Amino acid sequence: MAETTAAMFGGHKTNGLVLVVDDEPDVRKVVRMTLEKSGYDVIEAEDGEKAIQEVQKGENPLMLDVIISDIRMPKINGVEAINYFQQQYPRVPLIVLTGFPDMEMATGFLKQGIVDYLVKPVEKEKLIKSVATAMEKRDLNRL
């Protein structure tokens, strides 16, 4: 298993920075709290448009380690946001988190390089394992 790299954010060590994109505030809150308890820093966005703005406003968008995105959202939906992130930030692993499982869509995403396709409500252990797998993939992409 690859060692998780610790970055520095605001003077504290972190396992990584995760962007959570979901139009449901309760889902974002549960995911954020689960990941923060596991040592990750989390930023949130309620749709694809806000997610893109969030990533672009930082001084170095490549500080982002993992993106978790819902599919069905207003404005820029998850499919459009994921396509954008894969084009602009190909080294940042993506995880889909959806309330509407679709095997055909899941297969398509996995063929496109999505790390995992999770269905809400996701078990905490499964979410943490998926993010850890994505972090390992991120570390391999940096080599």
Side-chain angles (χ1 to χ4, degrees), residues 87-132:
Q87 288 172 5
Q88 298 298 314
Y89 309 104
R91 292 182 170 200
V92 179
L94 288 142
I95 297 169
V96 170
L97 178 62
T98 182
F100 301 94
D102 178 327
M103 286 311 295
E104 193 174 309
M105 185 180 280
T107 302
F109 275 131
L110 294 169
K111 285 180 181 174
Q112 287 178 349
I114 297 296
V115 173
D116 211 344
Y117 186 95
L118 304 174
V119 178
K120 298 175 196 173
V122 66
E123 296 169 14
K124 291 179 182 182
E125 296 79 21
K126 193 168 187 176
L127 175 65
I128 291 164
K129 186 174 190 280
S130 182
V131 172

